[in-house]
Amino acid sequence: MADMESKTAIDLHMHSIASDGTDDAHKLLANLQAAGIKIFSVTDHDTIDGVVEMETIVPEDMTFIRGIEFSCITAAGKCHILGYGYDKDAQAFRDILQSGKEKRGSKLRRRVDFLKENFGIEIPGAEREKLFSRNSVGKPHLGNLLVSMGLAENKDEAIEKYINPCKSGSDRLPAKDVIRAILAAGGMPVWAHPYGGTGERELSQEEFEQQLQILLEAGLKGLECYYCKYSADQVAALVGTAKGNGLLISGGSDYHGANKKVALGTLNAYGGLVTEDEITILKKVNTFKSHQHQW
């Protein structure tokens, strides 16, 4: 990974405690300032709670872009779609958020029932209520809870032993619906880590091209070309693809705090500095200015 000196001052992909990160907004902001990052976006999974809180504390010398990451699916398989610079009050955007929340809630109920039926594990009432009150709940939340109950040594063990065996169905939204909602809210839809994210299987070139074509037809506007685990060759290939298809270029670390070993500002795997000019989405996306508290 890149060391501190070679990191960019831009990071458009990170998660807070509102989804599956470990930093609340105040800690995340402090860590961004310590890393020298001036332009950033919070992209929690299927929720804008972290974005709303960050807007109340971001200082004047930083540029904040509203973000979100939706878990999606197409005929070609799973993908993640980032949304940037949206109007959070647009009806189409509020509707897709609600759909995502309902799908995640249903999946959580199936997992909780599975734990009780197959392992005799009953989540205590207060913890159960806390889980279901969240807008974005994933495997890490349930895994950490099982660790706190003394049922596993760590989150990964808990997920592998107790959660992965549950065939809970998909909580993913159709990518075309997500892209349409982001566009209707004045935002920019971007394909996150197109070759695969950290801990995920990398797509073959054929799989990548098939998914790309589907997303382009749905209205995709950008590619996350710079990403923490991507090599120089992968970055170059993605940049070439973006330019060849008239897509905007984005980049981010996919920081999750203590939940992933990825530092803020790590936009590639080879330590290369990424400049503001290379992140072309910055020229097109709406940004939030704290001293005006408006867009």
Side-chain angles (χ1 to χ4, degrees):
M1 293 297 179
D3 57 23
M4 187 64 71
E5 287 73 28
S6 64
K7 285 178 187 169
T8 178
I10 306 160
D11 193 337
L12 302 184
H13 190 162
M14 65 192 69
H15 299 271
S16 77
I17 200 168
S19 65
D20 56 347
T22 58
D23 294 355
D24 63 23
H26 290 273
K27 184 177 181 182
L28 181 56
L29 183 60
N31 287 338
L32 285 162
Q33 291 170 323
I37 294 169
K38 295 292 187 179
I39 304 171
F40 73 104
S41 179
V42 175
T43 55
D44 285 317
H45 292 284
D46 307 311
T47 180
I48 61 170
D49 288 356
V51 165
V52 172
E53 185 174 4
M54 185 61 75
E55 286 181 352
T56 68
I57 62 174
V58 64
E60 293 182 19
D61 65 342
M62 299 177 78
T63 299
F64 179 59
I65 298 167
R66 285 178 185 155
I68 192 166
E69 183 176 9
F70 286 103
S71 299
C72 299
I73 194 156
T74 74
K78 299 175 181 178
C79 63
H80 287 85
I81 300 297
L82 294 157
Y84 292 112
Y86 49 80
D87 173 3
K88 61 184 176 61
D89 297 317
Q91 191 59 51
F93 189 76
R94 293 169 68 90
D95 288 346
I96 205 72
L97 275 178
Q98 183 61 30
S99 294
K101 181 179 179 180
E102 290 171 0
K103 281 180 172 288
R104 280 182 175 266
S106 296
K107 192 167 190 175
L108 177 60
R109 279 189 290 276
R110 288 193 292 272
R111 283 173 171 163
V112 169
D113 290 344
F114 178 84
L115 289 174
K116 183 178 179 180
E117 294 167 5
N118 292 270
F119 297 103
I121 299 171
E122 187 141 16
I123 306 298
E127 294 295 342
R128 183 186 176 102
E129 185 176 339
K130 186 177 178 181
L131 278 176
F132 281 97
S133 69
R134 299 180 63 100
N135 284 329
S136 180
V137 180
K139 290 181 182 180
H141 300 100
L142 198 50
N144 284 329
L145 177 57
L146 294 174
V147 172
S148 72
M149 293 170 65
L151 295 168
E153 290 292 323
N154 55 62
K155 168 178 58 70
D156 292 337
E157 179 189 334
I159 289 172
E160 183 63 29
K161 183 176 181 180
Y162 297 111
I163 303 173
N164 284 346
C166 176
K167 306 305 179 187
S168 53
S170 176
D171 60 346
R172 292 175 177 267
L173 296 161
K176 60 181 176 57
D177 293 347
V178 166
I179 290 171
R180 187 181 300 122
I182 293 169
L183 291 171
M188 291 290 175
V190 171
W191 185 8
H193 39 68
Y195 289 141
T198 54
E200 296 178 348
R201 179 184 68 83
E202 286 194 4
L203 269 64
S204 68
Q205 188 61 30
E206 182 180 354
E207 290 171 324
F208 168 79
E209 290 174 1
Q210 183 182 11
Q211 187 70 279
L212 176 64
Q213 189 56 44
I214 290 172
L215 295 176
L216 285 171
E217 291 172 0
L220 187 74
K221 298 298 181 185
L223 281 185
E224 187 175 48
C225 301
Y226 296 94
Y227 184 71
C228 63
K229 69 177 252 185
Y230 290 169
S231 68
D233 287 345
Q234 288 176 310
V235 168
L238 287 171
V239 168
T241 297
K243 291 180 177 179
N245 288 277
L247 295 172
L248 297 169
I249 294 169
S250 187
S253 64
D254 203 4
Y255 173 80
H256 281 70
N259 278 340
K260 283 188 181 179
K261 294 180 180 179
V262 176
L264 286 164
T266 309
L267 268 60
N268 52 65
Y270 52 91
L273 178 68
V274 182
T275 67
E276 192 171 331
D277 287 342
E278 291 172 291
I279 306 296
T280 60
I281 195 171
L282 296 175
K283 300 171 184 175
K284 298 291 185 179
V285 75
N286 294 319
T287 58
F288 176 83
K289 295 297 184 182
S290 66
H291 63 286
Q292 297 173 330
H293 281 278
Q294 62 184 12
W295 291 75

